[in-house]
Amino acid sequence: MPSYFLDGRNKTIVITGANSGIGREIALALAQTGATVILICRNKEKATATAAEIIEATTNPRVYPYNANLENQKEIKNTAQRIS
């Protein structure tokens, strides 16, 4: 991992498709650096479960689940407003 990711304590990162696959693994790795990680997933229950798993695995409490269908422009805008 590049050295600029080794200390994520002052970073906030938004990851889409974060409840499985590459998105989940990236979220896990970034949470391990201490970053605040925002998980964007279509399914609220999966997002919540994934956030809990990452928090438990990393002891980083700054992992936040959001649900949004990124094919819907209104949901994208609403989610961006909730995050900011």
Side-chain angles (χ1 to χ4, degrees):
M1 186 175 295
S3 62
Y4 54 84
F5 279 132
L6 295 179
D7 184 1
R9 288 178 290 177
N10 294 318
K11 295 176 177 65
T12 299
I13 300 158
V14 177
I15 304 203
T16 61
N19 67 318
S20 65
I22 293 170
R24 185 189 188 289
E25 293 305 313
I26 291 170
L28 177 63
L30 291 169
Q32 289 172 333
T33 72
T36 299
V37 181
I38 298 173
L39 312 177
I40 307 289
C41 307
R42 287 184 187 177
N43 182 292
K44 184 177 182 177
E45 290 78 23
K46 287 183 182 180
T48 301
T50 299
E53 291 167 8
I54 292 173
I55 289 168
E56 183 177 342
T58 65
T59 67
N60 179 350
R62 293 176 311 281
V63 180
Y64 304 102
Y66 285 81
N67 70 300
N69 179 351
L70 299 183
E71 293 179 1
N72 181 312
Q73 291 295 315
K74 186 174 181 176
E75 282 193 44
I76 293 170
K77 187 175 183 176
N78 288 341
T79 302
Q81 288 174 343
R82 288 181 10 225
I83 290 171
S84 58

